[in-house]
Amino acid sequence: MHPGKVQTVSRSKRGVLDVIFVVLLVSAVHSYNIDAEHPLVFRGPEGAFFGFSVLQHHYDNSRWVLVGAPKANSTYSTSVRTPGAVYKCRIHSNPDRRCTEMDLGRGNKREACGKTCQEDRDDEWMGISLARQDKPNGRVLACAHRWKNVFYESEHIMPHGYCSVIPPTLQGSTRSLIPCYEDYKKTYGEEHGSCQAGIAGVFTEELLVMGAPGSYYWTGTVKALNLTSDSYYSISKGAASSERYSYLGYAVTAGHFSSATATDVVAGAPRDGNQGKVYIFKIEGLSLVKIFQASGKMMGSYFGSSLCAVDLNQDGLSDLLVGAPMHSEVRDEGQVAVYLNRGNGYMEETGVLTGDRAYNGHFGECISMLGDIDDDGYEDVAVGAPKQDDYTGVVYIYHGDKNGIVSTYSMKLTGRSIHPSLRMFGQAISGGVDMDQNGYPDVTVGAFMSDSVVLLRSRPVITVDVSILLPPSINITAPSCHDGPQHLNCLNVTLCLSFRGLQVPGHIELLYNLTADVEKRRRSQPTRVLFALNGELIGAVSEKIHLSIKQPVCQPYVAYVKKEVKDVFSPIVFEAAYSLGQHLLGGSERELPPLTPVLRWKKGHRIAQTNMVSTLPTRTATYITVPTIFNK
């Protein structure tokens, strides 16, 4: 018979004790494979809001954490009052991890920016948002939504907003963008004079999207620039609400919603209809045409103030997470709505994420795609609750899977446990880049009220494949083993183990416990089966084994059934629990010291695989023949 094959057999005698189910277990903790014990903490100028935005960036073999500090003074623009700045923090093993301000090439001069444009950079909030082009060696977008045009003097100060497109090298000339500026337009509210472009931004391979929530008396809009044709797309008439103070563009993202090859734009309007809305737009010509909209379910929840486009189930289409950080049962616990893409832009709401439902936690203030941090083939996401734990902040990590997303978080990263000084940890999150080059994307978190940014690295994940091989059944009326003068019933039990994983050690030491009749032991009842080992009969075997990657090792054991067993109907359970022993780390040539690997576990649960059949005293019963259970 093949392992795991189901077979129906005849029960000729009632004295048959069925061996019918196997459990494999490992323990799991809420840190899983994000290493919170060795954080890399970067500090910025006091009071600069250093960490209000964060961005992981790589160019060739260099890795950087980019940090927005929108209330900082600039060493390159000393005559400008607190314009804000963008810092770059090189990832290396030097314990003195200083960050340096990036030169965006703007200097001290207040330059003319058009025929009827004169810039005012005081308090412009450079670094309010950061985005990276989603391709190798991509460019970077940095914005200052409070940049002002003062050509018409104080009567018509217009906060258009300003963005810089930065080369992937983080050096050299930048491209300036003022997407709301038009020559000879001095109207303030009714058009784009107050648009504040760049409060949110996203950067695809050829599309640059900036939210402009202040346009049209704060109805808001989206400024989407095609970098290839150098042309802007506009939202088609009637595609979105025209209600004032909706703040459309407060959050933006982009993804493959209408098809796997098209790039579509998403924008949130957290004050639309007082409950908030989110829109998905498809590009047709030079227009953004609405293909989907959804509304929040609670007044004042700020639904749509954070967005994340991510392919959770790996079907080639983007799914959508929408934050409502002020959703309240008591006060501002927050939640995140999950919309799965069913094709052609049809989005089905499949549930909500809620974290711990912490009082005033603002769960969903930030949502970020992380990449596949645990090497299971599915994208993972992080959700920030920056006001939880009295403004210290918490980040929750959820995993994608074939059904969309696991609704229980696998990791809870608290600012308090990482460093007691952190404040608003989780206001900004960035992922998707392997910062220490160990094969796994890492997570960077901003805590702007303490002017700090934390890089948390992902540990390699070892997948252990385990199988317990058993006979289909045993008959206690026909003993087949001998122990001195006694005739005992016995069975052969074989435990097979192997391991695999991305950039994991080539050799590991695995500790395991193989326990017989574990359910009886848990209930403090007499066990019916014992192992024979070194001349003794024992209920559990504890051993260690050395394994080479992808090379299975099998250990045979003999288990004896006690004489005069009364319970012949309930199953005998064999359990294999295991943990990592010593192993070789490797990777000493990397700039950062390597991290120890962890064992894979089923997301949100303990690993528990079972096979079970009925043991009712009927003439026939179903058995599992030589069951093999794999931990995957």
Side-chain angles (χ1 to χ4, degrees):
M1 294 292 178
H2 296 290
K5 181 86 176 220
V6 178
Q7 181 188 21
T8 301
V9 297
S10 173
R11 176 180 289 171
S12 57
K13 298 181 181 180
R14 289 193 57 184
V16 176
L17 188 64
D18 301 327
V19 183
I20 61 171
F21 97 70
V22 178
V23 183
L24 306 178
L25 298 170
V26 298
S27 62
V29 294
H30 279 321
S31 61
Y32 193 24
N33 74 313
I34 295 294
D35 176 49
E37 296 180 0
H38 307 93
L40 278 70
V41 180
F42 303 94
R43 302 286 188 182
E46 185 177 354
F49 281 16
F50 179 91
F52 196 92
S53 61
V54 294
L55 181 67
Q56 294 179 344
H57 178 70
H58 67 91
Y59 176 74
D60 290 342
N61 290 322
S62 298
R63 302 292 188 272
W64 303 85
V65 170
L66 306 186
V67 183
K71 295 188 71 174
N73 285 302
S74 173
T75 57
Y76 298 102
S77 303
T78 54
S79 65
V80 184
R81 185 181 67 247
T82 57
V86 178
Y87 291 82
K88 57 181 180 181
C89 311
R90 176 73 183 274
I91 304 303
H92 51 71
S93 57
N94 185 347
D96 183 16
R97 298 186 181 92
R98 293 182 178 178
C99 302
T100 58
E101 182 186 350
M102 293 173 56
D103 183 2
L104 302 183
R106 302 175 71 191
N108 280 307
K109 293 187 298 182
R110 297 175 186 252
E111 297 182 354
C113 39
K115 294 178 181 178
T116 55
C117 181
Q118 182 69 40
E119 69 175 2
D120 179 358
R121 295 181 52 206
D122 288 346
D123 301 312
E124 69 176 357
W125 279 54
M126 172 51 72
I128 182 68
S129 65
L130 295 170
R132 184 179 183 276
Q133 204 170 17
D134 59 351
K135 67 177 185 177
N137 295 332
R139 289 176 284 177
V140 171
L141 177 72
C143 294
H145 73 304
R146 295 176 64 171
W147 179 96
K148 299 170 287 295
N149 176 14
V150 294
F151 181 87
Y152 299 104
E153 300 181 346
S154 59
E155 183 181 355
H156 297 288
I157 294 176
M158 292 177 285
H160 286 313
Y162 173 99
C163 293
S164 289
V165 180
I166 304 167
T169 60
L170 307 182
Q171 297 176 350
S173 61
T174 63
R175 177 181 177 181
S176 300
L177 294 174
I178 310 172
C180 291
Y181 169 74
E182 297 177 59
D183 285 337
Y184 304 108
K185 289 291 183 74
K186 62 180 180 180
T187 51
Y188 178 64
E190 59 267 33
E191 293 190 9
H192 300 298
S194 57
C195 77
Q196 300 175 67
I199 195 170
V202 65
F203 209 163
T204 73
E205 186 168 351
E206 67 172 9
L207 194 65
L208 200 158
V209 182
M210 296 156 286
S215 293
Y216 309 113
Y217 288 111
W218 291 272
T219 298
T221 190
V222 171
K223 293 293 184 177
L225 172 65
N226 186 305
L227 295 171
T228 302
S229 63
D230 204 30
S231 56
Y232 280 95
Y233 302 109
S234 300
I235 296 176
S236 59
K237 188 175 181 179
S241 171
S242 58
E243 182 179 340
R244 290 184 178 183
Y245 305 102
S246 292
Y247 290 5
L248 177 64
Y250 189 91
V252 294
T253 189
H256 305 298
F257 294 96
S258 58
S259 74
T261 57
T263 299
D264 307 301
V265 175
V266 190
R271 295 185 60 176
D272 194 338
N274 294 319
Q275 294 180 324
K277 290 182 181 178
V278 62
Y279 299 88
I280 300 178
F281 302 101
K282 180 179 180 179
I283 296 175
E284 292 185 359
L286 292 177
S287 297
L288 298 176
V289 179
K290 182 180 69 178
I291 59 173
F292 173 80
Q293 79 174 53
S295 299
K297 299 178 176 59
M298 176 177 287
M299 182 175 292
S301 68
Y302 246 56
F303 175 87
S305 62
S306 60
L307 302 169
C308 180
V310 54
D311 184 1
L312 294 168
N313 53 8
Q314 291 300 293
D315 63 355
L317 298 171
S318 297
D319 308 299
L320 185 64
L321 305 182
V322 182
M326 296 172 69
H327 188 279
S328 300
E329 294 178 4
V330 180
R331 179 185 173 185
D332 297 345
E333 296 87 352
Q335 68 177 26
V336 172
V338 181
Y339 295 88
L340 288 186
N341 196 331
R342 300 307 188 188
N344 297 318
Y346 170 63
M347 310 297 292
E348 177 186 2
E349 184 176 0
T350 58
V352 294
L353 310 177
T354 56
D356 286 337
R357 295 186 173 91
Y359 177 84
N360 196 37
H362 282 233
F363 176 88
E365 191 82 40
C366 177
I367 315 170
S368 179
M369 178 178 64
L370 301 180
D372 183 7
I373 62 172
D374 60 345
D375 188 36
D376 67 349
Y378 295 96
E379 299 284 311
D380 307 309
V381 296
V383 181
K387 294 185 179 180
Q388 188 172 334
D389 293 347
D390 193 24
Y391 286 77
T392 57
V394 175
V395 171
Y396 299 86
I397 293 180
Y398 295 83
H399 295 272
D401 72 1
K402 63 181 180 180
N403 297 315
I405 195 169
V406 176
S407 59
T408 55
Y409 58 85
S410 71
M411 286 172 269
K412 176 182 175 182
L413 306 167
T414 64
R416 191 187 305 276
S417 63
I418 292 171
H419 199 284
S421 68
L422 294 179
R423 302 279 287 171
M424 291 292 282
F425 176 80
Q427 173 71 30
I429 306 170
S430 179
V433 177
D434 179 10
M435 302 296 284
D436 59 356
Q437 302 185 64
N438 72 341
Y440 297 79
D442 303 302
V443 184
T444 301
V445 184
F448 78 93
M449 283 188 65
S450 52
D451 294 301
S452 303
V453 168
V454 181
L455 171 61
L456 301 169
R457 296 188 289 151
S458 300
R459 299 164 67 180
V461 179
I462 289 176
T463 298
V464 176
D465 295 316
V466 182
S467 59
I468 301 177
L469 307 181
L470 303 170
S473 63
I474 56 175
N475 189 337
I476 64 173
T477 64
S480 57
C481 297
H482 299 277
D483 184 17
Q486 298 183 357
H487 293 276
L488 300 175
N489 201 357
C490 69
L491 67 155
N492 293 318
V493 179
T494 302
L495 175 65
C496 295
L497 303 132
S498 65
F499 81 96
R500 53 193 166 85
L502 174 66
Q503 294 196 27
V504 297
H507 305 274
I508 65 168
E509 181 181 81
L510 200 67
L511 312 178
Y512 67 84
N513 291 326
L514 180 62
T515 305
D517 210 8
V518 68
E519 291 299 321
K520 292 286 186 183
R521 291 168 65 89
R522 287 174 179 157
R523 293 193 291 265
S524 299
Q525 296 176 354
T527 58
R528 295 161 292 174
V529 177
L530 297 172
F531 289 110
L533 191 67
N534 299 325
E536 297 183 7
L537 293 177
I538 54 178
V541 176
S542 297
E543 296 198 78
K544 66 181 179 181
I545 189 170
H546 289 87
L547 298 176
S548 298
I549 191 166
K550 296 182 181 179
Q551 296 185 18
V553 173
C554 294
Q555 298 282 89
Y557 297 95
V558 177
Y560 289 87
V561 181
K562 289 182 178 179
K563 197 173 182 180
E564 298 179 356
V565 173
K566 296 180 180 179
D567 182 2
V568 298
F569 296 107
S570 63
I572 293 178
V573 181
F574 286 83
E575 174 187 281
Y578 52 90
S579 62
L580 278 177
Q582 297 180 352
H583 48 267
L584 300 176
L585 288 174
S588 58
E589 72 282 357
R590 299 186 187 125
E591 290 187 323
L592 295 173
L595 298 173
T596 58
V598 298
L599 288 174
R600 179 176 302 286
W601 56 288
K602 187 175 290 184
K603 297 179 282 288
H605 305 276
R606 301 174 71 198
I607 293 178
Q609 302 278 1
T610 64
N611 276 348
M612 186 180 297
V613 293
S614 171
T615 58
L616 294 176
T618 56
R619 295 191 61 183
T620 62
T622 301
Y623 301 99
I624 299 294
T625 64
V626 197
T628 304
I629 311 301
F630 291 103
N631 164 24
K632 293 184 177 178

